[in-house]
Amino acid sequence: MSGSVPEARPGSVAVLLVSHDGARWLPVVVEGLRSQTRAPDRVVCVDTGSRDEGPDLLERAFGAVRSLPSGTGFPEAVRVAAAEAGDVEWLWILHDDATPAPDALERLLATAREHPEADLLGPKLREWPSLRRLLEVGVTISATGRRETGLERGEYDQGQHDDVRRVLAVHSAGLLVRREVLEELGGFDDRLPLFGNDLDLGWRAAAAGRTTLVVPQAVVFHAEAAHRGVRRTALTGRHTHFHERRGALYTLLANTSSRLLPLLVVRLVLGTLLRVLGYLLVRSPGEALDELAALLAVRPGVVRAARRERRARTGSPSPAVRGLLAPWWLPYRHGLDAVGDLVAAAGNQAADVAERRRLAAAERDPESFAARRPAEDEDVPEADTGWVARFLTNPVAVLLAVVVVLLLAGARAGLGATSGGALSPAPDGVGAWWRLHLESWHALGVGTAVPAPAYVVVLALLGTLLGGSAVAAVSALLVLAVPFALWGAWRFLGLLGRLVSPRGLPRWVLLWGATTYALVPATSGAWGQGRLGVVVAAAVLPWLAHAVVGFVDPEPDRRWRAAWRTGVLLTLVVAFAPTTWLLAVAIVGLGLGAARLVTPAALGDRSAWAPPALAAGVPVGLLLPWWVPALQHGAGEALLLGAGRLPGATPAGLDVLTGRLGGLGAPAWTGLVLVALALLALLPRPSRVPVLLAWLLAAVTALLALGLSWVTLDLAGGSVPASVSVLVLALQGCLVTAAVLGALGAVEVRRSGGGRTGAWRAGLAVTAAAAAVVPVVGLGWFAAGEQELAGADPAGVPAYMVQSAETAPERGILVLTGSVEDGIAHVVRRGDGVTVGEDEVLALSPADPALDELVRALVSDAAAGAADRLAELGVEYVVLPAPADGDVAAVLDATAGLAQASAEDRDTRAWRVAREPGTEALEGDGSWLRPVLLLAQLGLLVLALVQCAPTRRASRGRARR
């Protein structure tokens, strides 16, 4: 914008109205201009290639209309209109989809007189046609390029933002600007033809020391036709998001101070990649591509030219600009809100299954029980007494808080460096876990190609999020697993209750069921024995069951989404407890077989049978880097073993029924009480069918556990039974579910007027008292119970040897345990010892005949050259932990090449190999298959997460409604 401007009359105003295919809004806009209480001195209309009757409407209303080509940007249209505005002091810019309130211009000019320092003034923008929702009351921009209004989504105008204040920018729809200031700033930037030019103009004005005020008393109603995609132009096409994002990035890069520019560039690049990933996760690939394209479209040369122009016009930016920008922490809050919305949407989609099934049943039969929706408690107005008062007056909430505190107190032994029982110590850092997962050859024992267990990558990810601490990852799982199981059981049982009855479960019953199940990992003895895999699997199982309920959703698309969600959660459980997959396959197979017998026509719909089958197949794909190499290297037994040290728990028949895995479990009679409650649950008629289904699942689980109990796995270290621990806990979950549903049935009988006899009430009271004993005893036992976890792992190896072993993998320690009479066991310890994730690798590795023969020769006679062979195998020390066998120690004392070494414990004997250990035995050839499997796993994981996430389109639709 150039050229001299004649002396303007004070207070004179020209309206600059820019139009493009705006005929649907222009009649109201024209009426809004004509009804202004302070009429403008002139109205200049510019049309950019409209194909409707808009230009004719404007010509009849205001006279001649200046026509421009359809590709003309908004900055050029304003520049042309301003040139024809004449000698006026103020320019009032309007869009063809923005209609002003009758007093809008009068209030803007009044504020300009009250604040002579103001050069740009903007109105409060409200949504058109709703007329009440706020769009903007001033605007700024965050360091990530987000347009920040300071408003909540869908916020109504109740006068809460009616203070005149200084802002970075105001919307161009309704902008009142001094003509000389617009001339001085060079007008709107032509590089921003449609979106973002108002923010850029406001930033440049603030940098030049000019003042922008928002005047909330002046109101303009804006339809946002281009932003909402209601109107497409040659400038936007179908990619509105691309142009908005490109404008935001350009505005930031062109106006940010030189000192902050390098950091901003890095932040925008990384932020764009994260936003692309986020859009992919919510299945919006178009917006993901727009994000990436917008970043690439901002050319460095264009940005440099824009920065030179701004320096030439404004010089050094005013320090006031920084205070007008969005706070630095705001993008992080938005990120947390987005994650929260995503999690809530995922949970609500599963929780809505019961309501959709009720509505479908009511539509089929309006007289059915499902059509009788009880009144919601939320419809009853209540006095707002504050959350503290509401909490203290809610017995269930108070008891739930007490339960959580007791659960955390019971898990206190899991804090810090913990090992013992089936749990090995955690490594020094997550790097050990990442190497274990990524490498195809491991320097463990004498070297092995057996793959790492599937759960190692989960631990590595968790440890990375916790600052790279492996100890923190294990502690977090042990301490939070039981409360997490409580949360999951609460959600699942609540959802199940709404499926069975529209009224749902009473909160007391829900609290009992969730607490009883959450205590199963503890009362079974799994937690006290350090069985990390079983504890994590039990914590995830209720969330898995919650996702499975989505298979009964009436909408096919939701059933497919439930399949992916179920598959991802099943993969997580299988990673820690592989036999869970056999249970899932058995349930899916029996379920589909039963459906074929009962309703064969239902299986004609692919969306009825394929989602459960897909869910069972997802773990096969996501765990490719685990089971394929395991079968390849003869370690297929991994599919039937649990996590941690061997041997696993071997519960007997009654232990399976009562849910006990060993001597550290709670009293077995509490488990028998649970069995009795599940049997009594068959009595109430209203819930008999779902209770029978729970018992059917319990029977399938028990039969599978029985079958696996007969399986013996022959490993290098001896024979071990297949793991059934997770099946025992799943059986307990079925019994808890049956008992809870039975209680719901009893409540329904009571609600319908039955069960009023004295015998019924007495029996119900006795049953309730017996049921209350189960969680009470479990909580007390867990809070003060016995466990095998300790702060350190007593390996019996001198500390200086461990320090030497940590310097290089070839400096191994041969640990010999046992006696000549009972047999000598041996293990080669490397690094900081056997840690979490390495137990299974060593247990599944085939025996090394050369090492076995060498150990036999060492302990039987002082074989010549034995020490040299130890060095070749990468062994630096030999340790005989206390109590050391005297005969073995005497033979090792006489072995040439072994020198006695010191040990802290006088009953421990140790020797050092004289020859420097070699590295050849630990060097293995990498496999090309491993990277391929890891890439396939990553691709399938991204696909699964995208498929199971809620769609962004649906959430937008709900927001607009």
Side-chain angles (χ1 to χ4, degrees):
M1 185 177 293
S2 60
S4 62
V5 179
E7 187 68 25
R9 290 183 293 108
S12 57
V13 182
V15 173
L16 310 184
L17 179 58
V18 180
S19 172
H20 177 84
D21 288 340
R24 73 182 79 177
W25 304 284
L26 281 174
V28 180
V29 175
V30 169
E31 182 61 28
L33 281 174
R34 284 175 170 171
S35 62
Q36 289 298 300
T37 55
R38 195 296 193 189
D41 298 283
R42 185 174 182 183
V43 178
V44 180
C45 301
V46 174
D47 183 82
T48 58
S50 294
R51 293 168 296 180
D52 58 11
E53 62 275 18
D56 296 333
L57 289 171
L58 292 175
E59 187 172 0
R60 287 195 297 269
F62 303 114
V65 176
R66 178 68 183 270
S67 296
L68 299 176
S70 60
T72 304
F74 184 78
E76 176 63 21
V78 171
R79 187 176 295 110
V80 171
E84 300 185 5
D87 55 341
V88 294
E89 181 183 7
W90 295 95
L91 300 175
W92 194 27
I93 302 171
L94 286 177
H95 299 186
D96 59 358
D97 61 344
T99 181
D103 60 348
L105 181 56
E106 180 182 4
R107 290 182 177 273
L108 287 171
L109 290 172
T111 304
R113 289 192 297 271
E114 294 172 4
H115 298 272
E117 77 281 3
D119 301 300
L120 297 90
L121 300 96
K124 175 198 303 179
L125 286 189
R126 295 212 303 237
E127 189 181 52
W128 184 13
S130 77
L131 305 184
R132 291 193 59 193
R133 288 193 180 96
L134 290 169
L135 294 178
E136 289 184 6
V137 190
V139 66
T140 185
I141 189 171
S142 71
T144 58
R146 181 186 175 105
R147 191 179 181 95
E148 296 290 352
T149 64
L151 303 174
E152 299 294 333
R153 184 185 304 169
E155 183 176 348
Y156 280 89
D157 183 13
Q158 298 174 328
Q160 67 272 37
H161 301 287
D162 278 3
D163 294 331
V164 176
R165 66 186 188 279
R166 186 178 184 184
V167 293
L168 178 69
V170 291
H171 202 286
S172 59
L175 167 66
L176 182 69
V177 57
R178 296 185 190 273
R179 180 171 181 173
E180 62 178 355
V181 172
L182 191 65
E183 172 83 13
E184 175 188 313
L185 296 174
F188 293 103
D189 193 332
D190 287 315
R191 301 182 184 92
L192 298 170
L194 200 59
F195 298 113
N197 43 50
D198 47 5
L199 268 170
D200 174 75
L201 178 68
W203 196 331
R204 287 187 283 125
R210 299 293 183 171
T211 300
T212 301
L213 296 182
V214 62
V215 185
Q217 292 73 26
V219 179
V220 170
F221 303 97
H222 193 199
E224 296 185 303
H227 168 72
R228 297 172 185 266
V230 177
R231 170 175 54 194
R232 289 177 182 163
T233 71
L235 296 173
T236 61
R238 297 176 179 269
H239 298 280
T240 302
H241 183 74
F242 161 76
H243 292 282
E244 290 180 335
R245 187 61 183 161
R246 177 192 167 277
L249 296 176
Y250 171 83
T251 300
L252 282 173
L253 294 171
N255 294 284
T256 298
S257 64
S258 301
R259 180 174 58 88
L260 299 176
L261 186 61
L263 180 62
L264 177 68
V265 171
V266 174
R267 183 174 186 175
L268 291 179
V269 171
L270 295 179
T272 297
L273 296 178
L274 286 176
R275 290 166 69 94
V276 167
L277 179 60
Y279 281 124
L280 289 176
L281 288 178
V282 296
R283 296 195 285 181
S284 297
E287 289 175 309
L289 291 175
D290 285 345
E291 282 282 336
L292 191 59
L295 179 66
L296 298 176
V298 181
R299 303 299 175 87
V302 174
V303 172
R304 286 194 295 269
R307 294 180 65 84
R308 284 195 298 269
E309 293 174 5
R310 282 152 178 76
R311 284 196 300 270
R313 288 186 179 273
T314 63
S316 300
S318 170
V321 174
R322 186 169 185 178
L324 300 174
L325 296 172
W328 65 268
W329 47 263
L330 199 56
Y332 302 102
R333 195 196 76 176
H334 289 318
L336 292 176
D337 291 342
V339 173
D341 291 343
L342 184 64
V343 173
N348 291 337
Q349 285 180 2
D352 288 344
V353 172
E355 178 64 13
R356 287 192 295 273
R357 285 180 60 83
R358 186 192 69 81
L359 292 174
E363 185 178 355
R364 291 191 302 269
D365 183 8
E367 301 300 325
S368 67
F369 178 73
R372 300 195 296 273
R373 178 72 174 178
E376 298 288 346
D377 294 340
E378 290 80 6
D379 294 338
V380 180
E382 296 181 358
D384 187 7
T385 56
W387 70 269
V388 176
R390 291 196 300 271
F391 171 77
L392 294 177
T393 55
N394 187 336
V396 174
V398 173
L399 277 178
L400 183 61
V402 171
V403 167
V404 172
V405 170
L406 290 176
L407 291 178
L408 293 174
R412 61 190 180 277
L415 294 172
T418 303
S419 63
L423 182 66
S424 292
D428 291 337
V430 296
W433 281 334
W434 282 118
R435 288 190 297 272
L436 198 62
H437 174 66
L438 297 175
E439 293 174 352
S440 58
W441 177 265
H442 311 297
L444 299 175
V446 292
T448 179
V450 171
Y455 66 82
V456 164
V457 65
V458 180
L459 295 180
L461 285 170
L462 178 59
T464 302
L465 293 176
L466 295 176
S469 173
V471 171
V474 175
S475 292
L477 291 177
L478 287 174
V479 173
L480 300 179
V482 179
F484 189 71
L486 173 72
W487 183 20
W490 181 282
R491 287 179 57 86
F492 168 66
L493 293 174
L495 173 61
L496 204 59
R498 293 193 297 274
L499 275 174
V500 175
S501 170
R503 296 183 180 91
L505 280 169
R507 289 302 178 96
W508 289 101
V509 177
L510 191 56
L511 176 62
W512 178 89
T515 305
T516 302
Y517 176 79
L519 286 167
V520 167
T523 56
S524 66
W527 198 96
Q529 296 170 16
R531 301 199 179 279
L532 185 64
V534 180
V535 171
V536 174
V540 180
L541 276 177
W543 299 90
L544 173 62
H546 189 278
V548 168
V549 177
F551 290 146
V552 300
D553 196 294
E555 298 183 22
D557 179 66
R558 293 180 180 271
R559 291 199 293 270
W560 284 108
R561 197 174 306 158
W564 286 102
R565 192 172 296 137
T566 302
V568 171
L569 290 172
L570 179 60
T571 301
L572 181 59
V573 177
V574 172
F576 283 90
T579 51
T580 312
W581 186 74
L582 299 178
L583 177 61
V585 171
I587 292 174
V588 170
L590 290 174
L592 295 180
R596 182 177 181 84
L597 292 175
V598 177
T599 56
L603 294 182
D605 182 5
R606 189 166 66 96
S607 67
W609 61 266
L614 173 64
V618 167
V620 177
L622 290 181
L623 299 181
L624 279 173
W626 168 62
W627 66 267
V628 170
L631 296 178
Q632 179 186 9
H633 296 288
E637 296 86 355
L639 280 66
L640 298 178
L641 288 177
R645 294 169 175 166
L646 299 177
T650 55
L654 185 61
D655 291 336
V656 172
L657 196 59
T658 59
R660 300 299 179 262
L661 299 179
L664 295 181
W669 61 265
T670 57
L672 292 176
V673 172
L674 180 59
V675 175
L677 293 172
L679 288 172
L680 290 174
L682 294 167
L683 295 178
R685 186 181 298 273
S687 60
R688 188 170 297 167
V689 172
V691 170
L692 283 173
L693 289 176
W695 269 106
L696 179 61
L697 291 177
V700 172
T701 306
L703 289 174
L704 181 60
L706 178 62
L708 288 177
S709 66
W710 293 336
V711 176
T712 300
L713 307 174
D714 295 325
L715 305 179
S719 297
V720 297
S723 175
V724 297
S725 299
V726 70
L727 302 180
V728 173
L729 270 63
L731 176 59
Q732 295 301 298
C734 295
L735 296 179
V736 171
T737 303
V740 168
L741 292 175
L744 177 59
V747 171
E748 290 297 328
V749 171
R750 182 71 174 171
R751 286 170 176 169
S752 62
R756 298 186 182 274
T757 65
W760 172 270
R761 288 196 296 268
L764 197 60
V766 172
T767 303
V773 169
V774 177
V776 170
V777 172
L779 277 172
W781 177 89
F782 184 44
E786 182 185 359
Q787 41 81 23
E788 294 178 349
L789 300 180
D793 187 42
V797 177
Y800 73 90
M801 295 185 185
V802 176
Q803 294 173 357
S804 176
E806 290 175 344
T807 61
E810 66 271 13
R811 298 188 178 278
I813 305 168
L814 177 62
V815 181
L816 304 175
T817 56
S819 62
V820 175
E821 292 79 8
D822 299 329
I824 299 293
H826 63 274
V827 62
V828 178
R829 172 178 174 145
R830 301 193 185 277
D832 54 355
V834 179
T835 58
V836 174
E838 296 176 349
D839 298 281
E840 296 91 330
V841 176
L842 290 171
L844 293 167
S845 298
D848 188 322
L851 179 61
D852 293 343
E853 179 62 30
L854 178 58
V855 170
R856 281 194 293 269
L858 274 174
V859 301
S860 59
D861 56 9
D868 292 338
R869 292 200 296 274
L870 284 175
E872 293 171 358
L873 292 174
V875 174
E876 184 180 24
Y877 291 98
V878 178
V879 175
L880 197 60
D885 183 275
D887 296 336
V888 176
V891 174
L892 293 177
D893 284 336
T895 301
L898 292 181
Q900 291 190 25
S902 61
E904 293 89 345
D905 190 343
R906 297 182 61 182
D907 294 329
T908 296
R909 297 293 308 278
W911 296 264
R912 188 180 189 280
V913 179
R915 179 179 166 182
E916 190 70 15
T919 62
E920 294 80 5
L922 297 177
E923 295 175 355
D925 296 330
S927 172
W928 61 268
L929 183 61
R930 186 69 181 176
V932 174
L933 294 176
L934 291 173
L935 288 174
Q937 181 188 48
L938 180 60
L940 289 172
L941 179 61
V942 172
L943 173 64
L945 292 176
V946 169
Q947 291 297 326
C948 70
T951 57
R952 191 166 183 262
R953 187 179 301 109
S955 63
R956 280 186 168 183
R958 287 192 296 272
R960 288 179 181 175
R961 289 194 291 272

